Amino acid sequence: MHESMRKPTYFMLIFLWMFTLVGIHSVPLETHEAFVLETARNMSESGDWIIPEFNGDLRLQKPPLNYWATILVSWLDWRHADIEIWHGRLVSMLGAMLMVLLTAQTSTKFFGAETGIFSALLLMSMQGFIHISNNARPDFFYSALGIMQLFFFADAWKANDRSWAQWAYSILGWASAGFATLAKGPQLPVMFLLGMLLFLFSSGERKRIRFILKPLPGMVLFILIVLPWWIALNQKLNMLNVDISDSQMSGSLLMQLAGWRDLLSFYYVRSLLVLALPAVLIIPMVIPRLKMVVKEKDGFSGLMVLSAVTILLLFSFGGQYRKHYILSLLPILAIFLARMLTFQPLADLNCKSQHRIIFVVLIVCGLILCLVLLFIKGLFSAAIILFFGAAFLTWHRKNEFKPFLTEVNPGSHDILWLQMMAILLIIGFDNAFPLKSDRAEDEKMAEFINDRIRPNDLLVEWESSTPVMPFLTRRNIPRFDQLDLFKAYVLENAENSGVLAILPYSELSRIQQNFELKRLYLRVPFSRVLINAKAGPLRF
């Protein structure tokens, strides 16, 4: 029986997770975040908790749980009356914390406390974990609920048949599957359930299925969680004469299949390795241990492998390739890497090797560079927090992590310190270098509009789509791509209202041939321009 992880270890993991909150305000808003935030805002204002809407149109791409959670966070924030960016991001970040704690607890239960702490730290040191958890889109929350389902089913498999513990774990697994379905859809819960069934059949434990999965009460609970909203949605859509059959929410994306060229690209394998950087850099160090780990043939590893392979294969055959679909595989990969690290004492990976010195120098230089960049960009609070965090963790390294570990071997201290420094390093660079630099320009344009637009002015887009604008300007923004309709709209409203239009810079000359206009704002790098179409008489 493996020794349990001590409570201070979990507190340390939460402490490390809190550093990810550094970017909750500083990282510029991204398009898919705007869909969640603006839809949640519309839902809160209208009081309609059933039908999601965005910018005046129905949004039938995702179920509503992520919107509900964002509204709940907003309600708990007494300082702001409206939905803020960090409200949606906190939902994802709480999902990330849940994923870390579940990874630590589950790997501890099956492999011991040392593997638990290593797996949790490896997970948090993956750039995909840091970057995507700092995003309001529903994928991280969804993945956390999916991995919770898998780990609870694994606990039910480990428990004694017909025991109360097994019953509770199974029911919790089904509840997790139900809430995951409400967060984004049934794809991930179905894949994890299929992986569990494949494992039980291949391991000769098919007779235990009814004890482990509790199919009848589990399905009843799943239906009770999901079906009421689905029925209410369809009733409202029928009243509006809206057909949901072709929407993403009805599984239209599943109708698309990948071609052979897509399959041979091994997109998801490559994406998994990229998402797991820099944690996967330890693979060359632990590869010699792989043979020993495979020989052990523990059932939990078999379950994780089958679940991961099932997800990789099914998503690979699907026609939609998105790296965030496989976020739920990051905890599985972290556990495998941690298991290979801790399979035997780490003396052979220790301390005085040239490789270790190189890693330490790279980490220290990276942290210094990161702090300098944060100061240059004016993110002083982030730089100060990360500096004192690095100092605190280094101090605890000198204390050999005694408050945090139950099992320590001679080679663990430096690797643990490197992992924690890597976490801070990735957090810092994620704040200093958002993946899309034009996000900040969208926010600047929205701030310009909010400072100058009058209550009765109208804001539209021509041949342009900037999904962040409805949320940042707190108004619906009609979009036009037909000149006659745009002319009619301006003629109808120009007498009583100013008409401000956002359009691509390349369209400016075309619009000038039809309107007497005034250019108000030019967005770097000249991809968007804001005009006032009421400045002077209109030429038609």
Side-chain angles (χ1 to χ4, degrees):
M1 186 73 177
H2 295 293
E3 187 176 358
S4 299
M5 191 182 292
R6 294 176 182 174
K7 288 182 180 179
T9 309
Y10 290 105
F11 291 139
M12 179 199 124
L13 294 177
I14 294 173
F15 172 75
L16 278 168
W17 164 82
M18 289 177 67
F19 285 108
T20 65
L21 300 175
V22 165
I24 202 167
H25 292 294
S26 60
V27 176
L29 185 67
E30 185 257 343
T31 297
H32 286 83
E33 292 185 283
F35 289 135
V36 172
L37 296 167
E38 178 64 8
T39 302
R41 189 176 72 86
N42 286 339
M43 188 174 280
S44 179
E45 287 184 350
S46 67
D48 187 344
W49 295 80
I50 305 301
I51 301 182
E53 291 187 10
F54 176 81
N55 200 29
D57 297 321
L58 297 182
R59 179 163 176 80
L60 302 178
Q61 279 80 5
K62 302 290 188 295
L65 184 59
N66 213 72
Y67 310 137
W68 296 345
T70 301
I71 295 170
L72 176 60
V73 174
S74 177
W75 281 356
L76 295 175
D77 178 17
W78 66 91
R79 300 170 302 167
H80 300 96
D82 207 347
I83 301 287
E84 300 293 324
I85 294 175
W86 73 268
H87 294 157
R89 289 177 175 174
L90 186 61
V91 175
S92 295
M93 290 178 169
L94 291 173
M97 183 182 71
L98 177 64
M99 187 181 286
V100 168
L101 297 179
L102 285 169
T103 300
Q105 181 185 34
T106 302
S107 54
T108 296
K109 179 178 290 188
F110 286 95
F111 300 124
E114 191 177 23
T115 305
I117 184 68
F118 270 106
S119 62
L121 291 177
L122 282 168
L123 174 62
M124 283 196 285
S125 66
M126 296 176 178
Q127 65 86 17
F129 176 91
I130 298 295
H131 179 71
I132 303 179
S133 68
N134 211 320
N135 191 295
R137 64 194 304 162
D139 300 279
F140 223 101
F141 187 42
Y142 181 55
S143 298
L145 292 170
I147 204 68
M148 183 189 294
Q149 171 197 344
L150 178 65
F151 286 169
F152 275 137
F153 282 160
D155 289 333
W157 165 75
K158 184 178 176 65
N160 294 325
D161 290 346
R162 299 186 179 89
S163 65
W164 281 107
Q166 186 183 60
W167 188 91
Y169 286 135
S170 180
I171 293 301
L172 287 171
W174 282 105
S176 302
F179 287 118
T181 301
L182 273 184
K184 194 178 177 184
Q187 295 90 339
L188 192 61
V190 169
M191 291 178 191
F192 276 134
L193 179 61
L194 179 58
M196 187 74 195
L197 289 171
L198 289 173
F199 166 72
L200 293 175
F201 275 96
S202 64
S203 61
E205 297 186 81
R206 60 177 65 88
K207 293 182 179 179
R208 296 187 64 207
I209 290 177
R210 63 191 180 96
F211 302 120
I212 296 171
L213 295 181
K214 303 290 188 296
L216 182 58
M219 286 299 298
V220 170
L221 177 62
F222 179 87
I223 291 170
L224 288 175
I225 292 173
V226 175
L227 197 58
W229 169 78
W230 183 251
I231 292 174
L233 174 70
N234 279 273
Q235 287 178 340
K236 285 203 168 190
L237 293 178
N238 287 335
M239 293 173 60
L240 297 172
N241 293 320
V242 175
D243 184 10
I244 197 176
S245 60
D246 293 330
S247 72
Q248 187 175 323
M249 201 179 290
S250 288
S252 61
L253 293 180
L254 299 178
M255 301 298 105
Q256 304 176 28
L257 295 178
W260 284 108
R261 190 170 296 178
D262 296 322
L263 293 174
L264 294 176
S265 71
F266 297 102
Y267 172 83
Y268 282 114
V269 175
R270 293 186 289 108
S271 296
L272 181 60
L273 295 176
V274 172
L275 288 171
L277 285 171
V280 292
L281 295 178
I282 70 168
I283 289 178
M285 300 168 57
V286 298
I287 269 297
R289 300 172 175 216
L290 180 60
K291 187 176 181 180
M292 295 181 290
V293 173
V294 171
K295 282 184 177 179
E296 190 183 28
K297 293 183 179 179
D298 66 279
F300 178 73
S301 294
L303 172 58
M304 296 297 104
V305 168
L306 278 174
S307 299
V309 170
T310 299
I311 288 175
L312 288 172
L313 285 176
L314 291 179
F315 276 133
S316 293
F317 279 98
Q320 294 287 320
Y321 277 21
R322 303 286 188 274
K323 63 182 180 181
H324 50 266
Y325 288 176
I326 55 170
L327 287 172
S328 58
L329 299 186
L330 295 182
I332 296 175
L333 180 59
I335 291 175
F336 274 117
L337 293 175
R339 180 57 179 156
M340 287 193 285
L341 269 176
T342 59
F343 188 77
Q344 64 184 33
L346 292 170
D348 58 330
L349 301 177
N350 199 26
C351 292
K352 297 181 181 180
S353 68
Q354 293 179 348
H355 294 92
R356 182 191 65 86
I357 295 173
I358 293 172
F359 278 126
V360 171
V361 170
L362 288 175
I363 287 287
V364 172
C365 291
L367 280 171
I368 294 172
L369 176 61
C370 181
L371 295 176
V372 170
L373 289 171
L374 290 174
F375 266 102
I376 291 174
K377 291 207 166 191
L379 302 174
F380 305 117
S381 59
I384 292 170
I385 290 171
L386 294 178
F387 172 78
F388 282 105
F392 174 82
L393 295 172
T394 300
W395 178 77
H396 270 285
R397 175 193 177 221
K398 294 180 179 179
N399 287 272
E400 298 183 346
F401 302 102
K402 289 179 182 177
F404 303 137
L405 292 175
T406 56
E407 302 172 24
V408 178
N409 66 55
S412 63
H413 305 138
D414 291 298
I415 295 177
L416 285 170
W417 180 81
L418 285 170
Q419 285 180 292
M420 289 187 285
M421 292 302 105
I423 293 169
L424 299 184
L425 182 63
I426 295 167
I427 292 171
F429 276 103
D430 192 60
N431 281 266
F433 295 106
L435 289 185
K436 293 185 178 180
S437 58
D438 60 344
R439 293 186 196 173
E441 292 297 331
D442 285 333
E443 293 188 359
K444 289 179 182 178
M445 177 180 270
E447 185 178 351
F448 180 91
I449 292 171
N450 291 333
D451 288 342
R452 287 160 178 79
I453 198 167
R454 298 169 300 179
N456 64 329
D457 284 344
L458 300 173
L459 182 64
V460 302
E461 288 202 65
W462 164 258
E463 289 284 0
S464 172
S465 177
T466 317
V468 300
M469 285 299 169
F471 175 74
L472 293 175
T473 60
R474 309 289 175 167
R475 61 177 64 215
N476 290 338
I477 304 177
R479 296 191 175 100
F480 296 92
D481 55 13
Q482 296 181 33
L483 192 56
D484 291 342
L485 294 179
F486 188 31
K487 287 179 180 179
Y489 182 85
V490 174
L491 278 175
E492 181 182 352
N493 295 284
E495 290 297 325
N496 301 313
S497 305
V499 180
L500 279 67
I502 302 171
L503 62 149
Y505 186 76
S506 59
E507 288 287 315
L508 185 58
S509 60
R510 180 184 176 193
I511 293 297
Q512 285 175 330
Q513 296 173 9
N514 295 274
F515 294 91
E516 191 74 30
L517 54 84
K518 179 182 178 181
R519 194 175 74 186
L520 301 178
Y521 184 91
L522 186 63
R523 197 193 81 169
V524 178
F526 311 119
S527 56
R528 292 288 186 276
V529 60
L530 179 70
I531 63 170
N532 187 341
K534 193 188 175 184
L538 302 177
R539 289 201 307 260
F540 295 131

